[in-house]
């Protein structure tokens, strides 16, 4: 019934209404959705499909934390994190795609989040200009700095545009902004996660990143192996947002991984 209702609502918006809608997710947050978005996904889940990962954020984040969202897209995680850290904290949200960035800014405003700092920048291993490979709706969230073939529903996607964007390293950004510590880093860079971490070596080696939620793909070892020597333990995310310490075999099956530094406060719901 839930899936049927979601398909019906999506059909109505796409084929009948044909104009943007304002959508309230399961956390009470507002987002502007376009008829070209994957509306069935939003309606089925009452928001974004990564429910376990969003629940982890709800479990871990506390008022006053400094949070980075690398690969913010239209702000689905950004806005949730902004409410969780409250006005005492701050969220720095990075999104290089012009279309997605405009929607990110609009959604921040919809939710009245004055503690969110949007940045129309990519995050990478080097600061400067880089090429962004962008996809048309509903695949805009897959835009990447990595030139690769992306497959959906058994067929490769055609890229929509390629254009230059400004990139910054996390080390350079934090130095320029006077940010001493990043309590939480959500990292979804569509294949460029290893490069993002390469550009955060000073932060990592000095123990200035408390925790991370990382999307990992085929290059999982390349992304995760540099973290253990820097004092991180690696966890898988359970459906209710709790975590479990993960061995190598379990990590290889994960889409998203939590990395906790030994200096980070660990809520009771997180299993070590």
């Amino acid at each position: 019934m839930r899936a049927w209702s979601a398909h019906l609502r999506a059909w109505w918006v796409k084929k009948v209404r044909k104009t943007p809608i304002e959508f309230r997710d399961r956390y009470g947050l507002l987002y502007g959705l376009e008829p070209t978005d994957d509306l069935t996904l939003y309606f089925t889940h009452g928001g974004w499909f990564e429910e376990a990962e969003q629940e982890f954020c709800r479990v871990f984040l506390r008022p006053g934390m400094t949070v980075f969202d690398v690969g913010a897209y239209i702000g689905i995680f950004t806005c949730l994190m902004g409410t969780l850290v409250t006005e005492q904290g701050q969220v720095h949200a990075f999104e290089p795609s012009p279309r997605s960035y405009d929607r990110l800014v609009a959604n921040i405003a919809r939710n009245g989040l004055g503690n969110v700092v949007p940045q129309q920048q990519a995050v990478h291993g080097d600061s400067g200009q880089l090429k962004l490979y962008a996809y048309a709706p509903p695949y805009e969230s897959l835009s990447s700095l990595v030139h690769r073939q992306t497959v959906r529903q058994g067929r490769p996607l055609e890229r929509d545009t390629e254009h230059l964007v400004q990139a910054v390293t996390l080390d350079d950004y934090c130095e320029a902004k006077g940010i001493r510590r990043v309590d939480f880093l959500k990292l979804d860079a569509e294949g460029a996660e290893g490069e993002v971490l390469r550009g955060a070596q000073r932060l990592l080696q000095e123990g200035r990143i408390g925790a991370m939620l990382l999307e990992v793909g085929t290059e999982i070892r390349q992304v995760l192996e540099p973290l253990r020597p820097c004092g991180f333990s690696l966890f898988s995310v359970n459906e209710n947002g709790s975590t479990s310490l993960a061995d190598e075999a379990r990590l290889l099956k994960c889409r998203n991984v939590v990395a906790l530094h030994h200096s980070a406060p660990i809520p009771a719901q997180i299993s070590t």
Side-chain angles (χ1 to χ4, degrees):
M1 178 66 74
R2 184 180 182 185
W4 181 86
S5 176
H7 280 287
L8 182 62
R9 292 173 65 195
W11 175 85
W12 183 82
V13 174
K14 289 175 180 290
K15 302 297 184 181
V16 180
R17 180 183 176 112
K18 298 182 181 180
T19 57
I21 63 168
E22 192 167 70
F23 173 77
R24 189 179 296 275
D25 76 357
R26 56 185 173 270
Y27 298 105
L29 296 165
L30 293 171
Y31 299 98
L33 296 182
E34 302 285 340
T36 51
D37 287 331
D38 189 345
L39 298 174
T40 301
L41 178 151
Y42 289 94
F43 295 152
T44 299
H45 294 273
W48 195 240
F49 72 96
E50 292 177 312
E51 297 178 59
E53 288 76 9
Q54 286 193 303
E55 277 299 291
F56 170 76
C57 292
R58 195 180 61 80
V59 168
F60 182 81
L61 295 181
R62 294 289 181 269
M65 284 185 168
T66 297
V67 175
F68 279 26
D69 188 355
V70 175
Y73 183 38
I74 65 172
I76 294 156
F77 274 84
T78 298
C79 292
L80 175 62
M81 296 190 294
T83 63
L84 294 171
V85 302
T86 73
E87 293 180 358
Q88 302 171 45
Q90 196 167 62
V91 178
H92 297 257
F94 299 84
E95 176 51 55
S97 168
R99 290 184 301 205
S100 297
Y101 177 79
D102 288 345
R103 296 179 67 188
L104 166 68
V105 171
N107 287 328
I108 292 168
R110 272 189 179 90
N111 292 286
L113 295 169
N115 62 340
V116 176
V117 183
Q119 298 287 350
Q120 192 175 348
Q121 292 178 301
V123 179
H124 202 253
D126 300 290
S127 295
Q129 285 196 324
L130 294 173
K131 185 178 289 187
L132 178 73
Y133 302 94
Y135 294 93
Y139 301 109
E140 289 174 290
S141 66
L142 302 178
S143 299
S144 176
L145 298 173
V146 178
H147 187 275
R148 60 179 182 173
Q149 186 178 75
T150 302
V151 177
R152 284 294 181 274
Q153 298 178 348
R155 61 183 180 85
L157 296 181
E158 294 292 332
R159 288 190 297 275
D160 181 36
T161 58
E162 300 176 7
H163 53 268
L164 293 177
V165 296
Q166 190 65 35
V168 66
T169 71
L170 290 182
D171 282 341
D172 288 349
Y173 183 84
C174 288
E175 182 176 355
K177 299 293 184 181
I179 297 171
R180 180 62 194 164
R181 180 175 175 82
V182 178
D183 296 297
F184 183 72
L185 165 65
K186 175 243 159 187
L187 174 53
D188 182 358
E190 296 299 329
E193 288 79 13
E195 281 296 321
V196 174
L197 295 178
R198 182 173 69 84
Q201 284 304 298
R202 188 161 62 250
L203 290 167
L204 292 171
Q205 291 168 5
E206 295 175 1
R208 293 165 54 199
I209 299 179
M212 287 180 267
L213 174 63
L214 307 101
E215 181 180 82
V216 292
T218 56
E219 304 299 324
I220 182 170
R221 288 190 174 90
Q222 177 185 338
V223 174
L224 299 180
E225 282 180 1
L227 298 180
R228 286 194 176 99
C230 293
F232 287 89
S233 298
L234 304 176
F235 299 79
S236 59
V237 186
N238 303 317
E239 288 185 6
N240 64 354
S242 65
T243 61
S244 300
L245 194 62
D247 58 21
E248 188 73 13
R250 187 167 185 176
L251 287 173
L252 290 174
K253 299 177 182 178
C254 292
R255 183 177 185 274
N256 293 287
V257 170
V258 168
L260 291 178
H261 193 262
H262 62 74
S263 66
I266 300 179
Q269 297 94 325
I270 295 180
S271 172
T272 58

